[in-house]
Amino acid sequence: MTVVAVLGTGIYNVMTVIGLLGWPGSSRLGRGQSLSMREWNFVMVTRCLRGEDRRIMFRHILLNVLAPLLVAATLGVASAMLTEVGLTFLGLGVLPPGIAILFSVLAISFVGDGLRDAFDPRMTLD
C-alpha cells in the first residue's frame, strides 16, 4: 500500500508493485520441489546410469515440478487480482471491484486445476 500510495494509482504502478512483491512464494515452492525431487529414486537411478545433469534437470525434475508451479502461478494471478481489488477498496487501485473480478478469479482457478490435471505425470489414469 505504501509504494502504491507514493508512486500513484496508475495501472502500471499497481501491476509493478504486485508483480515485484508476489514472486517469492512461487520461487520457494519451485526450489523446494526441485531439491526434494533431486533425492527421489528415479533421479538417483538416472544419475547412477551416468545420465547427463542437463537431461536429469530438464527431463526428470522440471517436468515433475511443472504441475505444482502451474497451480501456484494461477493462484498467484488470482491473488494479485484480489490484492488489486483490496487496493481499489482503499482508494489506491484502478479496476472497479465487482462480479467480473469474482468470475475472473474463479475462471483462473479452474484453469489452473485443469492444467494441473493435464500436466501432472503422477496422476493415475483410472
Side-chain angles (χ1 to χ4, degrees):
M1 283 189 336
T2 305
V3 176
V4 172
V6 169
L7 293 178
T9 60
I11 189 165
Y12 296 111
N13 292 340
V14 172
M15 287 189 317
T16 302
V17 168
I18 291 173
L20 288 175
L21 297 177
W23 66 270
S26 297
S27 64
R28 273 195 306 265
L29 174 70
R31 182 177 187 274
Q33 288 286 325
S34 299
L35 291 175
S36 171
M37 290 206 185
R38 184 174 69 173
E39 304 299 325
W40 284 19
N41 288 337
F42 64 90
V43 174
M44 292 291 197
V45 168
T46 307
R47 195 175 292 147
C48 289
L49 294 174
R50 300 196 184 253
E52 295 179 14
D53 288 339
R54 182 176 291 166
R55 180 182 169 97
I56 292 170
M57 192 169 56
F58 286 110
R59 187 146 196 195
H60 297 289
I61 294 177
L62 182 66
L63 290 178
N64 284 302
V65 172
L66 191 62
L69 284 179
L70 283 173
V71 172
T74 56
L75 290 176
V77 169
S79 175
M81 291 176 77
L82 292 175
T83 301
E84 204 284 324
V85 168
L87 289 172
T88 299
F89 179 74
L90 296 173
L92 300 172
V94 290
L95 294 174
I99 202 77
I101 292 180
L102 171 73
F103 287 135
S104 299
V105 169
L106 285 174
I108 289 169
S109 296
F110 289 146
V111 166
D113 287 339
L115 286 173
R116 182 204 45 178
D117 292 342
F119 289 119
D120 194 359
R122 292 175 285 192
M123 295 285 291
T124 58
L125 299 174
D126 291 335

